[in-house]
Amino acid sequence: MGATWREGADRTLERALISRRTSEQELDLLLLLEEDAPREERERDLPDSSGTSEPRGEASAGELAVAISEWLATVKDRMDGHDRFQHAVARNALGIIARDNAVRTEVRDAKLARDLIDGKVTLAQPGLLAALRRNTLDKLAVDMPKYPALAIARKTWTKEE
């Protein structure tokens, strides 16, 4: 979705913003797949949060800001109908930008993804599940902090009461 927006095929605000919704599917998949990990890996403590500044596949915070700016230029003198929806989308995007600036949670590892898909790496690898959990929690906390499964994952993975 981020690439579609960047390339100009669909320069709508929704397209740029929806590229940040992949973290929801990442969490859902991890919750489903982790049951196949060995018990000691499922019980391993999560590493500390730490962000990076490497580029990622989704639209960056700066790109989201550009998308909002482009949209605002198109609705400057009107605000009804679909534009009311766009206003809500813009507010969500601004929330992502604010959270993204506060905590950098960029995770990118295409080789690991290919190795997992090909079965070259499994969740039995020491520390991998814990790292995936941490990355997923941190990313979703920025992208969609009200996602219902996030609270469940936090409670399960961080042993919060």
Side-chain angles (χ1 to χ4, degrees), residues 82-103:
H82 187 67
D83 291 334
R84 287 185 188 268
F85 169 75
Q86 289 282 49
H87 179 266
V89 172
R91 290 187 63 207
N92 287 338
L94 289 170
I96 288 173
I97 292 167
R99 291 184 297 273
D100 201 38
N101 283 334
V103 179

Side-chain angles (χ1 to χ4, degrees), residues 8-159:
D10 184 345
R11 293 292 288 188
T12 62
L13 177 57
E14 293 104 324
R15 184 65 54 216
L17 188 59
I18 205 160
S19 76
R20 296 298 289 261
R21 302 288 304 261
T22 57
S23 53
E24 295 170 13
Q25 288 77 44
E26 291 167 3
L27 177 65
D28 294 342
L29 286 170
L30 192 52
L31 286 168
L32 291 171
L33 294 173
E34 70 180 1
E35 66 186 41
D36 293 334
R39 191 176 107 209
E40 61 271 13
E41 291 305 314
R42 291 192 311 268
E43 294 174 354
R44 185 182 296 270
D45 289 337
L46 300 184
D48 292 334
S49 292
S50 62
T52 67
S53 59
E54 295 177 29
R56 60 179 167 220
E58 302 91 354
S60 70
E63 290 167 329
L64 289 174
V66 170
I68 293 168
S69 176
E70 290 175 357
W71 169 74
L72 288 172
T74 69
V75 297
K76 183 178 180 182
D77 299 319
R78 63 193 193 290
M79 186 63 72
D80 58 16
H82 187 67
D83 291 334
R84 287 185 188 268
F85 169 75
Q86 289 282 49
H87 179 266
V89 172
R91 290 187 63 207
N92 287 338
L94 289 170
I96 288 173
I97 292 167
R99 291 184 297 273
D100 201 38
N101 283 334
V103 179
R104 302 300 293 171
T105 59
E106 302 173 29
V107 178
R108 186 180 110 164
D109 197 333
K111 181 180 181 330
L112 175 59
R114 281 191 303 275
D115 287 349
L116 282 165
I117 289 169
D118 294 341
K120 295 177 184 174
V121 173
T122 71
L123 295 179
Q125 179 178 322
L128 178 58
L129 179 59
L132 291 173
R133 285 173 167 175
R134 168 52 62 207
N135 292 339
T136 301
L137 289 175
D138 290 350
K139 187 175 175 194
L140 196 52
V142 168
D143 293 345
M144 195 58 54
K146 294 181 181 178
Y147 188 61
L150 179 57
I152 294 166
R154 279 186 178 137
K155 184 175 181 180
T156 303
W157 295 345
T158 62
K159 298 177 182 39

